[in-house]
Amino acid sequence: MKIDWAALGAVFGVSLAAVLGLVVLFSLGLRAWSARETAREGGGSAALPTAGAVACLLACVTVVLFGIYLIVAG
């Protein structure tokens, strides 16, 4: 059996980038959600933090569903 180390490295690199990107998106979504709560308590507008939180968390869901699609369809 011969292992294609270049392909294995490429898969590792792409996987690492995807995981780090997903963690950053999720963290930003939670941070925006927290800013939303802070803005509501302070009497300010919560529209922008809410939109940011929804966008980040929706992007996380999209990435996860795409990954599941790739696994099932592949």
Side-chain angles (χ1 to χ4, degrees):
M1 175 166 71
K2 184 173 179 337
I3 297 174
D4 186 0
W5 291 103
L8 184 62
V11 168
F12 176 76
V14 169
S15 299
L16 184 64
V19 167
L20 289 176
L22 193 61
V23 168
V24 167
L25 269 177
F26 189 74
S27 299
L28 288 174
L30 291 181
R31 176 64 182 105
W33 194 263
S34 176
R36 172 186 177 265
E37 294 297 322
T38 304
R40 290 177 101 191
E41 290 173 0
S45 175
L48 187 60
T50 302
V54 168
C56 287
L57 296 175
L58 188 61
C60 285
V61 169
T62 303
V63 169
V64 169
L65 289 177
F66 181 66
I68 291 171
Y69 167 76
L70 289 176
I71 291 170
V72 171

